[in-house]
Amino acid sequence: MYTCTQRARRLRKMTRLLQASVPLSSLSKRLGLSSSSTRLQLRSFCCKMSSDSPPLTHSITLPSQLTEPVEIVAAPNISRSEFRSAIDSSLFKQWLKNMESENGVLYGGALSLRRVLIQGVDMFGKRIGFLKFVADVFDKETGKKVPGIVFARGPAVAVLILLESEDKTYAVLTEQVRIPVGRVILELPAGMLDDDKGDFLGTAIREVEEETGICLKQEDMVDLTAFLDQSTGGRIFPSPGGCDEEISLFLYRGQVNKEIIEQLQGKETGLREHGELIKVCVVPYEKLWCMTADAKVLAAIALYEMAKKEGLLPHLKA
């Protein structure tokens, strides 16, 4: 039996002897091994040395830089099928589209995209849910690289639900386990778009029903992010320094009796078979701003209050 240190020393010695083209019998004697043992270890060693294969690559040409093709490269852990799925995914195509849009970083030609390294692919069934890559974007004037680590997850929706009962307004939140931050968070009912059709309103209504049990109608919904300036794209970016997620925020206002508020409070919901551990939490609207650090909640409050101040909201139906 050899310790890890002894094995490492013997492998280094074998390497030096191989480089010196020492015959196998001589190699066995120098290492104090039988011929069969030597063949076994050499076969294992040579296998490791030859495991390096050329990385998967693909080249694309963007309209904004026709003379500068972009090289797409797969990290060693990415399979051929994952690489192809990443390149063909709506997440990657939309990112490229954003890069070349009128407000995109490639518009005007001051910056150049030269290379993209695909590092991670997470499948949600047959579609890509999350995509991780590094984009090499350079400032043509200075030659310096611009930070370009991207976690792509695509568009999402969230809904601010305000219920009036006995002259008091309540907000409906969900209490969810959020592993990335290691905490249980109070947040708006929300979710990612499941397909490439861009049905933001339909997704919002479905997520509210799944997470709270409340069934809403399209005609009762108000798109709060639609009040933003057209140059913004009509959505919010909660973490643009590292993530492409863009969120549409919707508003629902309704009048209910006190029993409905009591029934909602503490209700357990969510798709348990998908690991969703969700509990409904109803809080007074006047306290909402200080009861959670969820960025969606705080953005929705700001948009709601400003839209109300500017007289942009439709009258609440009786």
Side-chain angles (χ1 to χ4, degrees), residues 9-311:
R9 288 173 180 169
R10 285 180 176 273
L11 281 175
R12 286 197 293 270
K13 189 173 182 179
M14 289 168 67
T15 303
R16 290 195 296 270
L17 293 173
L18 282 170
Q19 291 173 342
S21 301
V22 177
L24 184 61
S25 58
S26 176
L27 179 62
S28 301
K29 293 178 181 179
R30 293 194 188 190
L31 293 175
L33 302 170
S34 66
S35 296
S36 61
S37 176
T38 304
R39 282 195 296 271
L40 211 77
Q41 293 205 28
L42 282 176
R43 191 155 47 243
S44 173
F45 181 72
C46 292
C47 202
K48 290 181 180 178
M49 291 295 288
S50 62
S51 64
D52 293 334
S53 57
L56 300 171
T57 62
H58 180 75
S59 181
I60 61 174
T61 301
L62 301 177
S64 61
Q65 48 182 63
L66 294 174
T67 60
E68 300 176 86
V70 181
E71 183 184 30
I72 315 297
V73 183
N77 61 297
I78 302 299
S79 68
R80 186 175 297 275
S81 62
E82 288 175 331
F83 186 51
R84 174 50 57 187
S85 296
I87 295 173
D88 293 338
S89 69
S90 59
L91 288 177
F92 191 64
K93 290 179 178 179
Q94 184 61 50
W95 175 76
L96 289 174
K97 183 178 179 180
N98 291 344
M99 292 281 283
E100 294 197 287
S101 67
E102 188 173 348
N103 294 324
V105 300
L106 299 181
Y107 188 81
L111 299 176
S112 173
L113 174 63
R114 299 180 187 174
R115 180 176 182 267
V116 176
L117 175 65
I118 306 295
Q119 295 180 316
V121 177
D122 287 313
M123 303 299 296
F124 287 10
K126 295 182 179 180
R127 70 179 183 90
I128 290 183
F130 298 144
L131 183 62
K132 168 72 166 49
F133 58 90
V134 178
D136 290 345
V137 178
F138 288 84
D139 184 331
K140 292 182 178 180
E141 182 178 353
T142 65
K144 300 293 184 181
K145 186 189 294 187
V146 181
I149 298 176
V150 182
F151 171 52
R153 54 173 293 158
V157 297
V159 185
L160 174 62
I161 302 174
L162 300 181
L163 302 178
E164 291 190 7
S165 180
E166 297 181 0
D167 298 323
K168 193 169 184 177
T169 302
Y170 298 88
V172 179
L173 302 178
T174 60
E175 182 183 270
Q176 300 204 46
V177 174
R178 293 305 191 188
I179 302 301
V181 295
R183 299 173 63 180
V184 176
I185 301 292
L186 279 178
E187 56 185 83
L188 295 181
M192 301 167 56
L193 268 66
D194 292 333
D195 51 44
D196 304 333
K197 298 178 182 178
D199 185 10
F200 288 84
L201 182 55
T203 300
I205 291 174
R206 184 177 65 253
E207 291 294 337
V208 167
E209 184 173 2
E210 289 178 359
E211 296 188 357
T212 69
I214 300 174
C215 298
L216 304 179
K217 297 179 180 179
Q218 291 194 10
E219 58 266 27
D220 296 329
M221 304 285 280
V222 177
D223 186 351
L224 291 173
T225 39
F227 297 134
L228 294 170
D229 188 84
Q230 188 175 1
S231 63
T232 66
R235 298 186 185 107
I236 65 168
F237 296 91
S239 186
C243 182
D244 75 328
E245 184 181 38
E246 52 183 25
I247 302 176
S248 288
L249 294 174
F250 292 91
L251 167 70
Y252 170 80
R253 294 177 298 167
Q255 294 179 330
V256 298
N257 56 45
K258 193 68 174 179
E259 287 71 23
I260 296 296
I261 302 296
E262 294 173 351
Q263 290 172 13
L264 286 171
Q265 191 70 267
K267 181 180 179 181
E268 294 185 351
T269 61
L271 301 177
R272 297 279 159 159
E273 65 273 19
H274 292 173
E276 293 183 343
L277 305 176
I278 300 175
K279 184 182 293 184
V280 178
C281 184
V282 183
V283 302
Y285 176 70
E286 61 185 16
K287 298 290 186 180
L288 180 60
W289 69 274
C290 64
M291 293 192 67
T292 176
D294 177 34
K296 300 184 295 297
V297 169
L298 302 177
I301 292 174
L303 289 171
Y304 170 66
E305 291 295 337
M306 291 306 299
K308 184 168 63 172
K309 179 181 177 182
E310 296 293 326

